[in-house]
Amino acid sequence: MEAELTSDIARQPLTRPTEDYLKAIYQLSNDGGLVATTDLALVLGLAPASVTGMIKRLSEQGLALHERYRGVRLTHEGRRIALRMLRRHRLIEAYLVGFLAYTWDTVHAEAERLEHAVSDDLIERMAQVLGHPIFDPHGDPIPDAHGRFAEFVHVPLADVAAGETVTIRRADTRDDGRLRFLAAEGLVPGTVVTVIARQPYNGPSSLEVGGERRIVGHELATMLLCSRGT
Amino acid sequence: MEAELTSDIARQPLTRPTEDYLKAIYQLSNDGGLVATTDLALVLGLAPASVTGMIKRLSEQGLALHERYRGVRLTHEGRRIALRMLRRHRLIEAYLVGFLAYTWDTVHAEAERLEHAVSDDLIERMAQVLGHPIFDPHGDPIPDAHGRFAEFVHVPLADVAAGETVTIRRADTRDDGRLRFLAAEGLVPGTVVTVIARQPYNGPSSLEVGGERRIVGHELATMLLCSRGT
DNA sequence: ATTGAAAATTAGTATGTACTAAATTCGTTT
DNA sequence: AAACGAATTTAGTACATACTAATTTTCAAT
Ligand SMILES: [Mn+2]
Ligand SMILES: [Mn+2]
Ligand SMILES: [Mn+2]
Ligand SMILES: [Mn+2]
C-alpha cells in the first residue's frame, strides 16, 4: 500500500536534479511522445548542452530512452518516479494551503523544494490529515500511491460558447501574478461561470460569476479549464 | 523580525553539507572552543580527510576559522547560520510531533532533511501555529529568529542524589531505540522523578515516577537532564 | 540535390563533495 | 632528545551537475 512507488530493484537515492528532470519530461510529454532537448532546457532553465548530458545519465540509469537528435521519453521506471514526484508536489501544495494558510500563488516554489526532502511516511501522513484529496489547489489531479489518477476532459474557458454555463476545474499556470489576479476575480476551481458574450479576435469574455459580471481576457481564459454544467 | 537570520552581505545559497557542517561544529563546541577534525568526522559519518577539505572551504567562505592541526571554530556568520539551522531543525521536530502525529524517536531523520528545504516563511508559519515554542520534543531549546535561546543548567539524572526530587527537562540522545524505551518508561521531559536509591559503580537508579517504581540504568540516567524540584 | 538555420551533441572546463593512500605534525612517553 | 602513535593534512581520484564554444545532424526551403 506504499511499496508500489518504491522499486524492487535496489537503487541508490535519486538526486534532486534527477527527480526534477523526470517530472519535467513527464509533463512535457502528455501524449507519451518524445520530448525535445530545448523544450526541457527551457522549462528547467538550463543550457541545452546540460540537458543532453543529463539525458545520457538518465538513460544509463534506465529511467529514460534517448533517441539521439530526436528526443527523450521515460521508461516505466522513469514514469513511476515522475508520478511519485507529482503526487508529492501536489500533496505538499494541498497541505500548505489547507494547514499553513498558504495561498495558491505561493505554494509552488515551496513544494518544488520540499518534494525532494520529505519521506514517504510524511507524505502519507499529510495525505491522511487532508482526507486523501484527489486535486491540488490549482485543480491538478494528485496521483495515488500507485501512480493512478483521474483524467478529465476539460475545455478552456476561452472555447466555451456564449450562453453556456461551466464550472472552473483547473488554473493552468504557475505564474504567481496571474494566480493572484484570478483569485481576486473569484475565478478559482469550483466556481460556476456563465459566458455572456465574447469579442472576436482573441478578445475578452464577459462572464456571470455568482450573480456578478466579470470580464476576463483571452490569455487567462485559455488557462481556465472547465467542465460543462454546474 | 526575520531579517536577523539573513546576512546583509549577499551570499549565494548554502549547500546542504555546508549547513550540516556548521550545525555540527556549533554543537561540538558548546564552550566555543576548537572542534577536532576527527570528532567532526565521527558525528558526520565522514572520512577525516573529507572534513579537512570542507573546513578549508568553510574558512574561505568566512564561516569558520581553521587553526591547522588544532581544530576549527565558527565565525560570527558561521554561528549565525548554525543557530538558524538549529531553529529550523527543532521547530520542524516540534511541528511534526504536534501536527502530524510523529513520535520523538522518529522526527530527527525527517528534520535532518527538511531543515535544508523549508523557506523562512514556512518555518515562521510553523512557529506561529505551534505558538512559538521554546523547546523541541526532546527538550532542546529552540533559538528565536535572532538566534537567542534560554540556557538552563541541568543535572544528569545519574548525578541526582538519592532522596532528591527533580523534573526531567531533556533527553540527550537521538538514538531512536533509547528514545522509544524512555518514552515507554514514562521518562520524558516534564516528568517529575524522585531518586529512591542508586547502586555504586555506575549502577542503576531506583526511581519513583508518578507513584510507580522504576529502575533506569546508568547510561540512560546520564542522558536524562533534569532541573531540581518539581 | 543543395543549402542554411535550428536543434542537438561533443569537447573541454569548473565547482562541490566525497574517497583512499601517503605524508606530515603533534604531543607524549621513554 | 628521540621516537612513537594518533591526529591531521596533502595528493590524487571520482562523480554529479552545470557552463561555453565548437561541431554535427536534421529538416525545410530553395
Ligand atoms: Mn523540485
Ligand atoms: Mn499545483
Ligand atoms: Mn541536515
Ligand atoms: Mn531534537
Side-chain angles (χ1 to χ4, degrees), chain B residues 93-120:
Chain B
E93 288 188 343
Y95 186 87
L96 294 175
V97 168
F99 288 94
L100 286 161
Y102 272 74
T103 50
W104 76 343
D105 55 301
T106 55
V107 282
H108 182 79
E110 195 81 44
E112 198 56 55
R113 281 176 279 105
L114 288 175
E115 62 188 359
H116 312 287
V118 297
S119 67
D120 285 344

